[in-house]
Amino acid sequence: MTDVERRSDRSPVPAGWTYAPAPESTEIVSLRERYGLFVGGEWVAPRSGEFFETISPRDEAPLAQVAQAGEQDVAAATEAARDAFATWSKLPGPERAKYLFRIARILAERSREFAVLESLNGGKPIKESRDVDLPLAAAHFFYYAGWADKLEYAFPNRSPRPLGVAGQIIPWNFPLLMLSWKIAPALAAGNTVVLKPAETTPLTALLFCDVLRQAELPPGVVNIVTGDGRAGAALVESDVAKIAFTGSTEVGKAIQRRLAGTGKKLTLELGGKAANIVFDDAAVDQAVEGIVNGIYFNQGHVCCAGSRLFVQESIYEPVVDKLKRRMATLRVGDPLDKNTDVGAINSRMQLDKIEELVAAGRAEGAEIYQPPCRLPEKGYWFAPTVFTNVAQSYRIAQEEIFGPVLSVLTFRTPDEAVEKANNTPYGLSAGIWTEKGSRILWMAERLRAGVVWANTFNRFDPASPFGGYKESGFGREGGLHGLEPYLAFDD
Ligand code: NAD
């Protein structure tokens, strides 16, 4: 047996292989000491007088002071947006498109700066911010810029009209990308916006205000108010025509209760517990890559993460063996190192939640595997984890962990796979791995999930609608479907 063959029998990379550090410089990012709120095209001090510190989860180092918006601040932002709506909504479509194209181009030009800041503030690996978040964020603006002057064609004979001011609330897992998913369609449809980023990751949204100025977007068309859930709740209560919320199911339900009967429009993009289903005729190595990408991408902080793996019983052992070997090659550590695969957990709070659910998994009797890896001392870290021997009733098979933790279950027949995959309150996404096209279609018809990937996972495109069933929410983002919730129609 040659050296290479002997090694490949045990591990996909040679034993003892180490990577030299490849840190991305942070010099390209210049931060202010303190950020106000972005209202009416200006930086304003919060009337609340409150600020909080935003840190980097990679080493807990403080990055900047950020304003905590109060009710009056949110009211001022919605007023600025309403003033701007009067002219923005009357602009001809090609004019609105011009601004959106500008924003897209500037994001593309400044993508390195944004990528570094995203990784610094959020903890995700730089290669993901650089190669996924930033290109997709720019692509969303490019895509919706293309629709701004074609609304009549997109919705023929329906007289599409903008709604007014949209209040938008986003989470911390894809801060700039979620901002793009929200702002691009709203502006293309002729609305103006007040957006509240998540409290742990406000910095790329604040840097985005710079882009708005560079693009000479009329003041007040986009307003950014920072702060925790109190600022979000104030936005929900404020005088807006629509709330678009992405975040946890718990908060989504509270918002839905609050808005019932008010006439405000609502879309909810909530949590998930996706099934990634591997049949015995699947290309196993390819499937293992898809499983790894499905759950360890962005530390598992992904609403559509493939957190429940269903493997057909006959190939259970080879799949789990290969998966464990592949996990051993994942590099966990500094998000700003270009070789890092799994970065920092976003916050202390999220780490506590992951640890609590993992402890519950052990206590309920599941078997845990974590590859040996040295975690940095400072910051928030969690090793890639897989649980086997999992029953469907276990908390780790039912609850969204939102971390790098996979639960493996088995099935024998396609019917059983469908039944088990649908046995969750969520319905955001699913994955199917098989060589049979007919089986893909048969499964996709029966899976209660908004997005179903076949022989791939975590693929996104601005032209493709995304959204959930059941407790994963309602409404779609992306594609034509993503424009509709920002428009009123005659019919
Ligand atoms: P979260 O619900 O705690 O917070 C989301 C946002 O809501 C934050 O900006 C937060 O400040 C704000 N908020 C908190 N309390 C509020 C209230 N009472 N009223 C109004 N706003 C309030 O969620 P999170 O922990 O930031 O994000 C993780 C969750 O987001 C996960 O459940 C994940 O699945 C989900 N998510 C879903 C999608 C999707 O497209 N379906 C995408 C990304 C994340």
Side-chain angles (χ1 to χ4, degrees), residues 169-174 178 181 196-199 227-234 236 245-252 254-255 268-272 301-304 350 353 400 402 426 428 466-468 472 477:
I169 303 169
I170 56 172
W172 43 260
N173 55 344
F174 292 92
M178 291 298 108
W181 281 26
K196 193 201 83 64
E199 52 270 43
D228 59 19
R230 289 170 295 164
V236 170
F245 173 80
T246 299
S248 60
T249 295
E250 188 193 345
V251 174
I255 293 177
L268 296 175
E269 298 278 0
L270 310 175
H301 299 331
V302 183
C303 48
C304 51
Q350 187 57 29
K353 182 181 160 198
E400 184 184 45
F402 223 56
Y426 296 109
L428 193 54
F466 184 91
S472 291
E477 293 188 309

Side-chain angles (χ1 to χ4, degrees), residues 13 17 24 31 41 104 109 116 124 139-140 212 229 238 330 347 472 474 490:
V13 294
W17 180 289
E24 177 75 50
L31 291 173
E109 278 161 20
V116 171
K124 64 173 67 197
H140 261 82
L212 298 174
S238 73
L330 290 173
S347 65
S472 291
F474 50 80
D490 273 348

Side-chain angles (χ1 to χ4, degrees), residues 22-24 26 56-59 115-130 298-299 331-346 376 378-381:
E24 177 75 50
T26 58
S56 179
R58 70 175 184 148
D59 55 5
V116 171
L117 185 55
E118 200 73 300
S119 288
L120 252 183
N121 199 196
K124 64 173 67 197
I126 184 71
K127 69 177 178 191
E128 290 178 7
S129 328
R130 184 192 63 199
N298 199 29
Q299 298 75 248
R331 295 174 294 267
V332 186
D334 185 3
L336 285 165
D337 190 309
K338 288 170 224 158
N339 289 323
T340 293
D341 297 307
V342 180
I345 298 302
N346 182 263
K378 275 195 153 177
Y380 313 130
W381 308 95

